[in-house]
Amino acid sequence: MLIITVMLIIDTIILLPWSIVDPLTVRQVNTEEEFDDTVITYRRLNCSSKKTYWFPILATYKGLQLIYGAFLAWEIRNVKIPELNDSKLIAFSIYTVTVLCVIGVPMVMLQDNLPDISYIITSFVIITSTTVTISFVFLPKLIQMKKVGPGGDIQLGASTRNENDSSSQPQTSSSHTEITKLKTLLAQKEAENEALVTEIQTLKDASGLRSHAP
């Protein structure tokens, strides 16, 4: 939750000044083409900012998020529970998003004067990357939930807890046995101590009687 909050704060720090200082404005861009004696003028509306450094800043931050996601996927690669180990699926999703962005962004920039092609490429990159990420990360979980039923997660936790309890039972029984042995040994030592105290008292009494004899 803390990581998501930090990411939202960083997004706000980037997007809020962008919207206040240099907001997106709609501009009309005209391009002309000549065909023999005919001049065709294409007019299209372009939404952009005056400064060009806002998008690279945002793209750099999102790239760092991809790297951080790859790092988290690498960290959980050794998780033994298959339901929690999504490292391969996350890595594949990050790979897909990275490849689509690397290929799609330059193509959109090169086809900026062709809005139809630019729109098609942008839509393809967004829809494909989102669909692949959702399919590979969340679809296996939905399939697993459908197989095990609504209480599958609870059953998994209960089975894990039972396994832990069963594995801890031998340790508990051995601990009780050891405690019983120690209690028995302590009782024996206390009995021996009492016997020694009684014997010492007897010897003292016998020694006192001898000293008072005529």
Side-chain angles (χ1 to χ4, degrees), residues 170-181:
Q171 297 179 357
T172 305
S173 60
S174 63
S175 299
H176 285 302
T177 305
E178 188 69 22
I179 292 173
T180 304
K181 289 181 180 180

Side-chain angles (χ1 to χ4, degrees), residues 74-92:
W74 175 262
E75 287 294 318
I76 65 172
R77 70 190 186 281
N78 294 324
V79 174
K80 301 300 181 182
I81 303 175
E83 289 79 5
L84 300 178
N85 192 349
D86 297 334
S87 59
K88 293 182 180 179
L89 300 176
I90 294 174
F92 185 79

Side-chain angles (χ1 to χ4, degrees), residues 1 4 25-26 57 73 113 118 128 137 143 148 158 164 179 181:
M1 188 65 183
I4 297 176
T25 55
V26 179
I57 292 174
N113 57 343
S118 178
T128 304
V137 175
I143 296 174
V148 300
N164 294 333
I179 292 173
K181 289 181 180 180

Side-chain angles (χ1 to χ4, degrees), residues 17 33 59 62 97 105 117 124 171 181 185 204 210-211 214:
E33 291 184 2
K62 298 303 178 181
V97 172
V105 172
I117 297 178
F124 174 79
Q171 297 179 357
K181 289 181 180 180
L185 182 61
K204 283 184 178 181
R210 289 177 184 177
S211 62

Side-chain angles (χ1 to χ4, degrees), residues 49-68:
S49 300
K50 296 179 180 179
K51 305 296 182 180
T52 59
Y53 52 75
W54 294 107
F55 179 74
I57 292 174
L58 187 62
T60 302
Y61 168 60
K62 298 303 178 181
L64 293 176
Q65 283 186 339
L66 286 175
I67 295 173
Y68 181 67

Side-chain angles (χ1 to χ4, degrees), residues 104-214:
V105 172
M107 291 181 65
V108 170
M109 291 181 176
L110 292 175
Q111 302 295 331
D112 190 43
N113 57 343
L114 300 175
D116 295 336
I117 297 178
S118 178
Y119 180 77
I120 292 173
I121 296 174
T122 303
S123 302
F124 174 79
V125 171
I126 294 173
I127 294 174
T128 304
S129 60
T130 306
T131 304
V132 168
T133 301
I134 293 175
S135 299
F136 279 92
V137 175
F138 297 104
L139 189 60
K141 292 180 174 59
L142 296 177
I143 296 174
Q144 185 69 18
M145 288 178 61
K146 187 175 181 180
K147 287 182 180 179
V148 300
D153 192 14
I154 299 175
Q155 293 175 2
L156 176 63
S159 62
T160 305
R161 192 182 304 110
N162 292 332
E163 291 177 358
N164 294 333
D165 294 340
S166 62
S167 63
S168 63
Q169 285 178 359
Q171 297 179 357
T172 305
S173 60
S174 63
S175 299
H176 285 302
T177 305
E178 188 69 22
I179 292 173
T180 304
K181 289 181 180 180
L182 291 175
K183 286 182 177 180
T184 304
L185 182 61
L186 180 61
Q188 293 176 357
K189 295 299 182 181
E190 288 179 352
E192 292 177 359
N193 190 21
E194 291 178 358
L196 289 174
V197 170
T198 304
E199 186 177 355
I200 291 172
Q201 188 65 33
T202 304
L203 291 174
K204 283 184 178 181
D205 294 340
S207 176
L209 290 174
R210 289 177 184 177
S211 62
H212 288 88

